[in-house]
Amino acid sequence: MDNFEKESYFQSQVSEGHVLADEDAICCICLDGECHSNNVILFCDLCNLAVHQECYGVPHIPDGPWVCRRCLYSPSRAVSCCLCPCRRGAFKQTDDGDWAHVVCALWIPEVGFANSVFLEPIDSIDRVATARWKLTCCICKRRGFGACIQCHKTSCYTAFHVTCAQQAGLYMKVEPIRDVGTLSGDGPLTGFRKTAFCEQHSPKENEAQESSDNSGIEDDTTSPDSLAGYHAKMQEKVKHARKLLAENSHFGPVLSVPVIPSSRFDFTIV
Ligand code: ZN
Ligand code: ZN
Ligand code: ZN
Ligand code: ZN
């Protein structure tokens, strides 16, 4: 536990129990519900945000309550991501005092984290390619709002915000890259390979994951029209995400959050 976390523990008096055994919880950064003893899903005591320790950069679980950075630094005001229109999710501050989603920072190639363990502050926003800020998101249809990534398929230029793609259920895969040359192929982690596809090019394996989540309601045979059915389903999901986004991205209270006297949080970031 670093000093900062110690202080946040001793100075806040919010309820305990942030590591709940909620089997349905999924991390809002990687969208996975898997839990390991050294990488559990933490819940913010104020907004109930669910994130893996590793995904949000919390190497040590504090003994007391845990609150996400947004609730710690901006407890009574929603913040917005400088990279996308979504107003929910796991935020961190940027090195220039703005806010961004951890997931946006992970996916936008130019963006990084000053500290790669604590995943903060988010930096290099100024290095984002100018063209990214001008792309039109195929899901929320906004142009020039935040920075988009593009479909990985060669010669497909379809663009989308990272969080829009997440909400629409587009194929997004993050694979760790390990140093080759070790016999086991288990060398040190050197980075992540990230692959995202637009709704047209999302490979079918994404659906396989989905249908297992839905306890096999979906027909998983490889009938000739299943690909068309899959694309129709993707389009439905995109439409649904568009609607959700339209509802969520407007300004206004996102959550009713108890206001904590700012004196409790009167310390600086290390
Ligand atoms: Zn995660
Ligand atoms: Zn929170
Ligand atoms: Zn974002
Ligand atoms: Zn979008």
Side-chain angles (χ1 to χ4, degrees), residues 143-159:
R143 182 176 191 271
F145 194 118
C148 287
I149 56 171
Q150 284 171 295
C151 178
H152 209 75
K153 175 95 176 171
T154 318
S155 77
C156 174
Y157 300 103
T158 302

Side-chain angles (χ1 to χ4, degrees), residues 85 137 140 161 164:
C137 171
C140 71
H161 293 115
C164 288

Side-chain angles (χ1 to χ4, degrees), residues 81-86 88 91 100-105 162-163:
C81 175
C82 60
L83 299 165
C84 79
C86 178
R88 293 161 186 260
F91 288 92
H101 289 112
V102 172
V103 72
C104 287
V162 175
T163 51

